[in-house]
Amino acid sequence: MTSGLAFRSEVMRRVRARASAKVNLQLSVGPRGEDGYHPLVTVFQAVSLYETVTAEVRDDALITLRVVAGPEFPGDIGGVPLDDTNLAWRAAEAVRNEFGVSDGIDLSILKGVPVAGGMAGGSADAAAALVACSEAWHCGATREDLHRLAAALGADVPFALLGHTAVGLGRGDELSPAMTRGEFHWVFAMQREGLSTPEVFARFDDQVAAGQRAPDAPHVDTEVMGALMAGDAAWLGRALSNDLQDAALSLAPRLHGVMETMYDADALGVVVSGSGPTIAALAGSAQHALSIATRVRAAGVADVVLTASGPATGTVILEG
């Protein structure tokens, strides 16, 4: 951390940064600990759906936030908070406190990732805001500074900074890049009504308490890692797994129909993304992904259907 003396930016500056959504290729959940958290092992892949945050320095100490829906944004942005409960706002405050900045900032979020969809859109906002604010305020933040601030904001935020494909341990924030080959093509079936991550974990705990599942100490799946290293989409499709999937499906039974439709369209693998309700299907090619998407749209089982590819980049500066 820099000196506790507050400083003012010498040059008023506007910076725009972009961060990717993610899909969990593996999400293994251990039993809840005494601290209330579950040990996780997850394999993340960043995909080409994006959140874009613009940060413009103010000459006062205020932080403001506005949110705009992107052209293909699924759902209503009315539920996105515009105050200090928003992760992007909290990211700006974290940077300001860390580096003793006295200036304010105007934040604008262009959303392209579903809200409460299990694809870490809010975490992407936080990552993009960390980078945009630190650049706009000329903080000189290092990669290590940003990772530390990201980990304090949420378990998925460090990966949104890193991007590409990575293994996450602990709460998912202890990251190691994963070796991959080639490009993977995805179809995401999204619902306008989200699922609450705490509710999904609570249902998972209920299933454990009822003896419906016995969580083991999570470990990295060698099948997932082998498929990534080989660039073998069919192998990866067979290896996709999510320990929260049964809990999400029990809270939103309509998602069964989405998964069945994707399998009927010959998807290589289908999995609930994170805590849901977004369903991810792995395709064999970009054309195959378009075919699956067409079948899902025709079946009317999802509100929005998008295609994307991965691995995508981590947080990048687009302007400034």
Side-chain angles (χ1 to χ4, degrees):
M1 180 172 175
T2 61
S3 165
L5 297 176
F7 72 85
R8 301 189 65 82
S9 301
E10 296 178 0
V11 179
M12 304 304 282
R13 195 172 179 199
R14 180 176 185 267
V15 177
R16 186 161 54 102
R18 186 182 75 183
S20 307
K22 60 85 180 171
V23 62
N24 297 88
L25 311 180
Q26 174 193 351
L27 179 55
S28 297
V29 182
R32 184 176 60 183
E34 293 182 359
D35 60 359
Y37 288 94
H38 300 75
L40 304 177
V41 168
T42 185
V43 180
F44 298 105
Q45 184 165 96
V47 297
S48 57
L49 300 174
Y50 302 106
E51 298 281 281
T52 304
V53 175
T54 302
E56 189 164 5
V57 177
R58 298 174 60 96
D59 60 3
D60 56 28
L62 295 178
I63 295 176
T64 70
L65 175 64
R66 74 186 190 105
V67 178
V68 179
E72 294 186 309
F73 177 75
D76 182 9
I77 61 172
V80 179
L82 301 177
D83 56 17
D84 60 3
T85 62
N86 187 291
L87 272 179
W89 184 306
R90 288 172 53 199
E93 288 186 326
V95 172
R96 188 159 68 172
N97 293 338
E98 177 74 9
F99 293 96
V101 178
S102 62
D103 291 325
I105 203 90
D106 290 325
L107 297 175
S108 177
I109 300 174
L110 180 65
K111 292 201 69 64
V113 180
V115 177
M119 298 186 72
S123 297
D125 291 337
L130 284 174
V131 170
C133 289
S134 63
E135 285 293 313
W137 281 325
H138 302 287
C139 295
T142 65
R143 182 186 301 269
E144 290 73 21
D145 291 331
L146 293 174
H147 180 89
R148 177 167 41 80
L149 294 176
L153 290 168
D156 287 340
V157 183
F159 177 71
L161 280 175
L162 179 65
H164 302 284
T165 307
V167 176
L169 305 178
R171 297 178 185 175
D173 59 330
E174 301 170 20
L175 297 174
S176 300
M179 293 182 62
T180 63
R181 178 178 297 173
E183 185 177 38
F184 297 91
H185 299 278
W186 296 93
V187 180
F188 296 102
M190 304 170 182
Q191 310 292 332
R192 297 191 186 279
E193 183 179 348
L195 276 175
S196 161
T197 297
E199 288 183 6
V200 174
F201 271 98
R203 180 59 60 89
F204 173 87
D205 291 335
D206 290 343
Q207 292 172 339
V208 172
Q212 297 171 3
R213 62 180 311 128
D216 299 318
H219 62 277
V220 178
D221 188 339
T222 57
E223 292 295 303
V224 171
M225 302 309 292
L228 288 170
M229 292 179 67
D232 188 326
W235 185 1
L236 181 61
R238 295 190 297 271
L240 296 174
S241 66
N242 181 356
D243 284 352
L244 295 178
Q245 181 162 297
D246 288 346
L249 292 174
S250 71
L251 290 168
R254 67 187 183 279
L255 300 180
H256 285 286
V258 183
M259 300 182 76
E260 290 170 3
T261 301
M262 288 173 156
Y263 277 122
D264 288 343
D266 297 323
L268 302 179
V270 181
V271 70
V272 172
S273 180
S275 56
T278 298
I279 305 295
L282 185 58
S285 66
Q287 188 62 39
H288 185 202
L290 292 173
S291 175
I292 296 170
T294 298
R295 289 280 294 273
V296 175
R297 292 188 187 104
V301 291
D303 294 318
V304 176
V305 184
L306 299 176
T307 59
S309 61
T313 61
T315 303
V316 295
I317 294 174
L318 301 178
E319 176 189 349

